[in-house]
């Protein structure tokens, strides 16, 4: 609905997570990322007028390396008023309501946000749904607070192709992240910005983000977008093909879930890039995060795709939580090409993904995912320091000989 200056917009937090009337959000007592849905003067989330004077509020600073002691993340407690177009983490122990003051006017104007290199917390700043594909644009000219010519701006797909941004937005449902556009999730092939909801956006080139006053009809077929609630993805996605397959991984701890994680292959490098997604920053507390990356690479991913493999491929799998132990499950293994074996190594005995569907991980740390033909997988399954898997170079020997061992854990040799 349109909002007049005489009305107050209410953002309600219920302790039992029950549904509320259409137009609101279903929320819990944990962290939520929120943003103003109109132009507001003097709106502070922790003020009495904001509704939660005792709440904890954090904002991410992409340009600072050490602004907080919270899990070595770049969070800090903002001291000023909330800025339209930006988003903030907020948590209140008792639940309650966040008010946008009634003196804020919901007008149909373009919201403009300057973005820094790194992760940014953003919101639409509008009081209606906004299409990510059709209602958002980016400009890299470096001019701030000036309405720039339309022909200088890029839509999200163009900005992604130009490496200005990663063309994906992430939002937190109260129990897990969801991101879109996401090709492996049928209801998220497109995405929308919901009013008063915050989003993560990864920026590679400093730019200005424009959110146009173009209302979009909520995608009622996509519960993830309409309700900001998770819908577990079944094993129906993907077909068994050597050049196009995916396995989904889900991590759960303390009632919090990280479910949108994939490894797989695509037929071309362009498709790999479009389907891959970085892992967004975790919560300040009460978090569980699962990330993957091909070995010998540096960036942690929520979805990591490579071009078709020949003999095999390995991925690092990083599980982080302050609520250990955690349960790790996987889905769609039956659609992995039949010639490939798949094992998870580093959490006790190797786990055959085809014969088990979950594993209990007692502590945080990195695991190894191995997928490939039996000859490729065998060295990873061999007993440590076995003569069959111990190699010497050069052979015959010279004055210096290098030995390579299949060592599955730290130990004396």
């Amino acid at each position: 609905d349109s909002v007049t200056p005489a009305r107050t917009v209410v953002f309600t937090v219920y302790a039992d997570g029950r549904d509320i009337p259409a137009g609101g959000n279903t929320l819990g007592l944990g962290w939520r990322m929120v943003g103003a849905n109109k132009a507001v003067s003097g709106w502070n989330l922790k003020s009495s007028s904001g509704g939660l004077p005792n709440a904890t509020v954090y904002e991410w600073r992409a340009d600072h390396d050490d602004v907080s002691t919270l899990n070595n993340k770049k969070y800090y407690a903002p001291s000023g008023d909330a800025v339209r177009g930006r988003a903030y983490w907020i948590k209140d122990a008792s639940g309650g309501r966040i008010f946008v003051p009634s003196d804020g006017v919901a007008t149909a104007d373009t919201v403009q946000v300057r973005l820094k290199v790194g992760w940014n917390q953003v919101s639409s700043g509008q009081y209606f749904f906004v299409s990510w594909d059709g209602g958002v644009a980016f400009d890299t000219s470096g001019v701030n607070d000036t309405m720039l010519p339309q022909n200088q701006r890029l839509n999200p797909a163009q900005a992604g192709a130009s490496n200005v941004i990663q063309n994906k937005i992430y939002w937190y449902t109260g129990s897990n992240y969801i991101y879109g556009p996401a090709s492996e999730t049928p209801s998220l092939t497109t995405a929308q910005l919901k009013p008063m909801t915050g989003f993560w956006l990864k920026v590679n080139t400093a730019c200005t983000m424009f959110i146009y006053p173009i209302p979009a009809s909520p995608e009622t077929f996509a519960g993830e977008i309409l309700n900001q609630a998770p819908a577990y993805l079944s094993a129906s996605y993907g077909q068994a093909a050597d050049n196009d397959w995916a396995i989904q991984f889900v991590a759960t701890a303390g009632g919090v879930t990280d479910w949108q994680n994939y490894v797989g292959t695509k037929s071309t490098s362009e498709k790999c890039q479009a389907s891959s997604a970085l892992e967004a920053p975790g919560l300040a507390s009460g978090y569980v995060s699962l990330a993957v990356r091909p070995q010998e690479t540096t960036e942690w991913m929520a979805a990591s795709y490579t071009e078709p493999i020949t003999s095999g491929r390995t991925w690092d799998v990083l599980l982080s939580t302050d609520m250990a132990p955690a349960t790790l499950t996987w889905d769609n293994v039956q659609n992995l090409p039949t010639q490939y074996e798949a094992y998870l190594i580093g959490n006790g005995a190797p786990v055959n993904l085809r014969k088990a569907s979950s594993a209990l991980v007692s502590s945080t740390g990195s695991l190894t995912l191995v997928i490939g033909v039996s000859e490729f997988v065998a060295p990873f399954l061999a007993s440590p320091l076995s003569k069959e898997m111990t190699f010497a170079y050069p052979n015959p020997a010279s004055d210096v000989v290098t030995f390579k061992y299949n060592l599955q854990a730290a130990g004396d040799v």
Side-chain angles (χ1 to χ4, degrees), residues 31-78:
W31 292 98
R32 299 296 301 192
M33 199 177 346
V34 301
N37 65 343
K38 55 183 178 177
V40 178
S41 175
W43 182 49
N44 189 299
L45 292 170
K46 294 188 65 173
S47 67
S48 57
S49 61
L52 294 176
N54 297 317
T56 300
V57 181
Y58 284 114
E59 185 179 8
W60 180 269
R61 290 287 295 270
D63 56 340
H64 283 63
D65 291 329
D66 186 20
V67 296
S68 172
T69 59
L70 288 171
N71 303 313
N72 296 318
K73 299 184 179 77
K74 302 179 182 181
Y75 289 119
Y76 80 110

Side-chain angles (χ1 to χ4, degrees), residues 54 152 181 255 380 383 397:
N54 297 317
Q152 295 183 19
F380 296 91
S383 300

Side-chain angles (χ1 to χ4, degrees), residues 139-260:
D139 190 285
T140 59
S141 67
V143 178
N144 193 19
D145 299 325
T146 302
M147 191 62 66
L148 302 174
Q150 183 80 27
N151 59 8
Q152 295 183 19
R153 303 173 196 161
L154 306 173
N155 62 37
Q158 293 169 331
S162 303
N163 200 38
V164 174
I165 63 167
Q166 179 192 215
N167 183 23
K168 297 185 186 299
I169 51 174
Y170 301 68
W171 60 97
Y172 188 67
T173 68
S175 61
N176 60 267
Y177 280 122
I178 295 177
Y179 66 81
S183 60
E184 304 300 344
T185 312
S187 58
L188 290 172
T189 53
T190 60
Q192 292 180 331
L193 301 171
K194 186 177 182 178
M196 290 201 74
T197 299
F199 302 86
W200 284 115
L201 177 64
K202 182 63 165 60
V203 176
N204 301 315
T205 302
C207 59
T208 301
M209 176 180 174
F210 297 89
I211 304 97
Y212 298 121
I214 306 175
S217 297
E219 295 188 0
T220 55
F221 65 86
E224 298 93 343
I225 292 176
L226 182 65
N227 302 317
Q228 302 259 316
Y232 185 77
L233 185 59
S234 70
S236 62
Y237 65 93
Q239 300 298 322
D242 291 352
N243 62 352
D244 194 348
W245 54 266
I247 297 177
Q248 181 186 27
F249 286 88
V250 179
T252 304
V256 179
T257 303
D258 185 355
W259 66 272
Q260 209 174 10

Side-chain angles (χ1 to χ4, degrees), residues 17 50 52 68 198 203 206 241 249-250 265 267 298 317 326 347 361 368 393 401:
L52 294 176
S68 172
V203 176
F249 286 88
V250 179
T265 63
S267 58
T298 58
V317 180
N347 182 47
V361 182
T368 300
Y393 178 84
V401 180

